[in-house]
């Protein structure tokens, strides 16, 4: 039997989070908090639950309300079903808020207010509550009420305009980067608000905009325009800031190289057997190398095609030149580096079927140990009775709530 992996300190142990989110940005935020030890209670609509329960590559899992998209972001959470359109369901949420530290929601702005459980109502129940609202564009401004999904934000932020090449732009990222960035921003903001509350006892209203999170993450793309007025353009796999820095062909695949410093460029030329490139006036200065990046690429590839990508990765990395293969997702997840750090957690499948569930853990290790989910994603409403009992409901009251469809 494989010995259990020692896990890191639960940094948010004792913190209770009410997770009223759906699909990805909000559930991702809640998952990051759960990974750090928070007691995350996922509040879902009876009979339906998070839309992500129906999403993912395996249709049969979706039919069982255990879609792969849901399983990926909800391990370590408990599921409580509440019908917030029913007064008794709202009352149960208000009771839960009194004992909660954090509430996270990603409804369209105004929905929580219309349900009668917006910020102004909830802060009266718990003045120390940290209320985090994630939306496409924020709680204010002329676009606040618009619906938004990841691709909508990718397009509006300018991400798609700088992805790909001039021939194929606009191009979306191959993964939901705007959703993920919004969720990460929310988790970080909640952690920061908890620090302030620990000092002052003061709650917080956190307004997270996916559009703004996306723009913030675009780095030099936005900063070059703001500071110099230069409009960014798509450059494919090239790096605007340096050359040679991009994706190169080898004997058997592609290799990313970032020889941004002069010494790295010199080492690269020597190792690929092209030292004469150092004396070529087209490549003598970093700015000249950017001007002649296409010619330089062709020259470098004449050396790289003599060996395979994995060999070059080792040779160049060992010599201090940043280089790595371009891998498929399965190959990336199979890296020994991730296995050594126990980044992927194996959990029992939620409904007891005869298979294990692999999910990603936290990208942050704590005190030298990995952080993974404590238990599998929940079945819809799996913990309703237990959570309501924790809130003071007796079994007769719970049965009455069920009969009226409030839970």
């Amino acid at each position: 039997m494989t010995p259990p992996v020692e896990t890191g300190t639960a940094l948010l142990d004792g913190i209770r989070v009410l997770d009223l989110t759906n699909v990805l940005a909000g559930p991702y935020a809640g998952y990051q908090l759960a990974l750090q030890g928070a007691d995350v209670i996922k509040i879902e609509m009876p009979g339906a639950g998070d839309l992500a329960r129906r999403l993912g590559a395996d249709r049969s899992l979706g039919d069982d309300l255990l879609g792969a998209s849901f399983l990926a972001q909800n391990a370590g959470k408990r599921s409580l079903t509440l019908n917030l359109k029913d007064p008794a369901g709202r009352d149960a949420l208000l009771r839960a808020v009194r004992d909660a530290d954090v509430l996270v929601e990603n409804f369209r702005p105004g929905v929580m207010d219309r349900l009668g459980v917006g910020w102004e109502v909830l802060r009266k129940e718990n003045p120390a509550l940290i209320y985090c609202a994630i939306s496409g564009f924020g709680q204010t401004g002329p676009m606040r009420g618009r619906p938004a999904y990841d691709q909508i934000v990718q397009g509006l932020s300018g991400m798609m305009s700088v992805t790909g090449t001039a021939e194929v732009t606009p191009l979306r990222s191959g993964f939901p980067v705007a959703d993920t960035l919004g969720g990460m921003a929310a988790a970080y903001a909640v952690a920061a608000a908890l620090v302030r509350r620990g000092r002052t006892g003061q709650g917080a209203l956190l307004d997270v905009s996916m559009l703004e999170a996306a723009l913030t993450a675009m780095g030099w793309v936005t900063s070059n325009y703001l500071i110099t007025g230069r409009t960014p353009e798509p450059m494919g796999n090239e790096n605007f800031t340096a050359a040679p820095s991009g994706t190169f062909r080898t004997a058997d695949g592609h290799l990313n190289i970032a020889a941004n410093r002069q010494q790295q460029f010199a080492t690269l030329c020597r190792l690929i057997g092209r030292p004469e490139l150092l004396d070529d006036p087209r490549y003598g200065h970093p700015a000249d190398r950017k001007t002649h990046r296409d010619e330089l690429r062709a020259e470098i590839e004449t050396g790289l095609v003599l060996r395979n990508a994995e060999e070059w990765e080792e040779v160049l990395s060992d010599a201090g030149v940043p280089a790595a293969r371009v891998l498929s997702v399965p190959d990336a997840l199979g890296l020994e580096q991730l296995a050594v750090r126990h980044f992927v957690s194996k959990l029992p499948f939620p409904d007891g079927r005869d298979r294990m569930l692999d999910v990603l853990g936290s990208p942050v290790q704590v005190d030298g140990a990995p952080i993974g989910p404590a238990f599998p994603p929940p079945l819809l409403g799996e913990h309703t009775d237990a959570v309501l009992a924790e809130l003071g409901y007796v079994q007769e009251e719970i049965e009455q709530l069920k009969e009226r469809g409030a839970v």
Side-chain angles (χ1 to χ4, degrees):
M1 177 180 291
T2 303
V5 177
E6 181 180 351
T7 57
T9 303
L11 300 178
L12 295 178
D13 185 34
I15 297 297
R16 174 166 286 190
V17 178
L18 305 181
D19 179 352
L20 280 72
T21 66
N22 274 271
V23 187
L24 184 51
Y28 180 86
Y31 184 48
Q32 300 309 304
L33 300 174
L35 286 170
Q36 297 299 337
D39 174 19
V40 179
I41 300 173
K42 187 170 183 67
I43 298 177
E44 303 182 76
M45 184 68 178
D50 186 339
L51 175 61
R53 286 185 177 274
R54 294 172 174 79
L55 303 178
D58 187 326
R59 178 175 176 176
S60 65
L61 287 176
D63 290 342
D64 292 336
L65 299 184
L66 289 172
S69 298
F70 175 83
L71 296 175
Q73 305 298 338
N74 290 283
K77 301 180 186 179
R78 299 192 287 165
S79 175
L80 163 66
T81 54
L82 290 181
N83 180 1
L84 298 182
K85 295 180 180 179
D86 186 291
R90 289 196 296 273
D91 288 343
L93 177 64
L94 295 178
R95 191 181 297 195
V97 163
R98 294 170 199 145
D99 292 329
D101 300 285
V102 179
L103 183 145
V104 183
E105 56 96 347
N106 64 343
F107 294 110
R108 208 182 301 184
V111 168
M112 289 287 281
D113 286 324
R114 289 196 294 274
L115 289 171
V117 288
W119 163 243
E120 295 299 334
V121 171
L122 298 185
R123 70 190 298 190
K124 293 176 182 177
E125 298 292 331
N126 181 355
L129 179 70
I130 294 165
Y131 182 111
C132 179
I134 307 168
S135 62
F137 312 110
Q139 302 295 305
T140 58
M143 298 173 67
R144 66 183 293 269
R146 292 188 185 181
Y149 284 99
D150 177 86
Q151 184 154 348
I152 302 302
V153 176
Q154 283 199 38
L156 276 172
S157 67
M159 280 186 176
M160 291 175 62
S161 75
V162 295
T163 302
T165 64
E167 292 74 29
V168 299
T169 196
L171 193 66
R172 70 179 293 275
S173 168
F175 64 99
V177 58
D179 269 326
T180 304
L181 288 167
M184 187 65 82
Y188 137 76
V190 166
L194 286 168
V195 172
R196 184 181 75 171
R197 197 188 66 174
R199 293 197 313 265
T200 68
Q202 182 180 353
L205 171 61
L206 306 175
D207 176 1
V208 180
S209 160
M210 287 169 53
L211 174 63
E212 291 164 24
L215 284 161
T216 298
M218 289 167 66
W220 61 261
V221 171
T222 50
S223 63
N224 277 340
Y225 174 72
L226 289 173
I227 296 169
T228 71
R230 178 170 177 173
T231 301
E233 298 177 353
M235 296 186 64
N237 294 322
E238 290 291 328
N239 181 353
F240 171 83
T241 62
S245 186
T247 307
F248 298 81
R249 290 182 297 110
T250 69
D252 71 341
H254 289 90
L255 185 77
N256 281 325
I257 299 174
N260 296 352
R261 299 178 181 177
Q262 182 63 30
Q263 183 58 47
Q264 292 168 341
F265 176 57
T267 301
L268 172 65
C269 292
R270 174 176 57 81
L271 290 175
I272 66 172
R274 298 297 310 275
E276 72 277 9
L277 295 177
L278 294 171
D279 298 321
D280 191 314
R282 292 175 298 173
Y283 315 132
H285 190 276
D288 295 327
R289 292 198 287 274
K290 290 194 292 183
T291 300
H292 299 284
R293 65 171 69 243
D294 291 337
E295 302 101 302
L296 180 56
R297 165 184 300 283
E299 299 279 14
I300 289 173
E301 288 183 341
T302 62
L304 291 176
V305 295
L306 301 178
R307 302 173 78 168
N308 66 42
E310 186 170 9
E311 289 177 302
W312 281 123
E313 178 179 321
E314 294 184 10
V315 168
L316 294 174
S317 296
D318 289 347
V321 179
R325 292 160 289 162
V326 177
L327 298 179
S328 67
V329 171
D331 286 341
L333 290 172
L335 286 170
E336 182 183 6
Q337 172 71 17
L338 300 183
V340 169
R341 288 174 60 84
H342 301 286
F343 180 56
V344 179
S345 295
K346 285 191 175 294
L347 303 169
F349 215 82
D351 61 359
R353 66 185 70 190
D354 188 21
R355 59 174 288 192
M356 297 297 289
L357 174 66
D358 290 340
V359 296
L360 301 183
S362 172
V364 179
Q365 293 201 352
V366 178
D367 300 329
I371 299 291
F375 48 88
L379 301 175
L380 179 60
E382 179 178 352
H383 305 96
T384 295
D385 286 17
V387 174
L388 291 176
E390 292 172 15
L391 298 177
Y393 287 90
V394 299
Q395 192 60 40
E396 182 180 358
E397 292 174 312
I398 295 173
E399 294 304 323
Q400 290 172 350
L401 290 172
K402 290 179 179 179
E403 289 176 7
R404 63 179 293 161
V407 300

